[in-house]
Amino acid sequence: MDKERFEELVVELRKEKSNCIIVKGEELFRFSLPGVKTLMTLLKEDPSLLKDSIVFDKIVGKGAAALMILGGVAEIYAELISEHAIKLLDTTDIKFSYGERVPFIENRFKTGLCPIEMLSLTSDEPKIIHEKIIGFLSSMGVHKSNKGI
């Protein structure tokens, strides 16, 4: 992808209601599910969409980074990224860039760590982080049927 198109997609991410844009070849996919739900759903239902794609995401914590590693993405742009995500991505060949770097991803109420970020801190293995996210989402009643996880 050329630099001009990349920058256009960064601007679109900032303006759009979508929180995740995935570029696969010449195709563009927009998603607006909250948190890591888009990545979890794609890993379960359409992992080929992530493989070798470019992902533009508004917020990338360590959990999201682990899911993108498992999905085999080629490149990531994060509007906001945590230092924990950067450390994990630095152990891979995935190219990444970002708008703003923060020590950690906050929860929605801005009262502490995002729960996905918190549970991701206990491992540096993407598969283990993925399993922990599945367990957390299941305990919260999200996707109890395991659909989308």
Side-chain angles (χ1 to χ4, degrees), residues 18-81:
S18 303
N19 58 14
C20 183
I21 300 170
I22 297 177
V23 180
K24 178 76 173 187
E26 297 299 315
E27 292 186 86
L28 207 60
F29 302 86
R30 293 171 180 84
F31 301 92
S32 57
L33 293 172
V36 296
K37 290 180 187 150
T38 294
L39 296 170
M40 293 294 288
T41 300
L42 290 174
L43 279 173
K44 174 72 175 176
E45 297 177 3
D46 193 5
S48 64
L49 183 57
L50 290 172
K51 182 76 175 148
D52 298 322
S53 67
I54 302 172
V55 177
F56 294 79
D57 205 318
K58 286 191 177 174
I59 300 173
V60 175
K62 188 175 180 183
L67 298 176
M68 289 187 224
I69 291 167
L70 282 179
V73 305
E75 186 172 352
I76 300 165
Y77 172 80
E79 187 61 26
L80 181 75
I81 193 169

Side-chain angles (χ1 to χ4, degrees), residues 55-104:
V55 177
F56 294 79
D57 205 318
K58 286 191 177 174
I59 300 173
V60 175
K62 188 175 180 183
L67 298 176
M68 289 187 224
I69 291 167
L70 282 179
V73 305
E75 186 172 352
I76 300 165
Y77 172 80
E79 187 61 26
L80 181 75
I81 193 169
S82 74
E83 291 179 6
H84 303 291
I86 289 172
K87 287 178 188 173
L88 185 60
L89 289 168
D90 277 341
T91 68
T92 72
D93 292 330
I94 297 172
K95 181 179 175 181
F96 67 95
S97 56
Y98 53 87
E100 181 181 354
R101 176 181 181 155
V102 294
F104 58 88

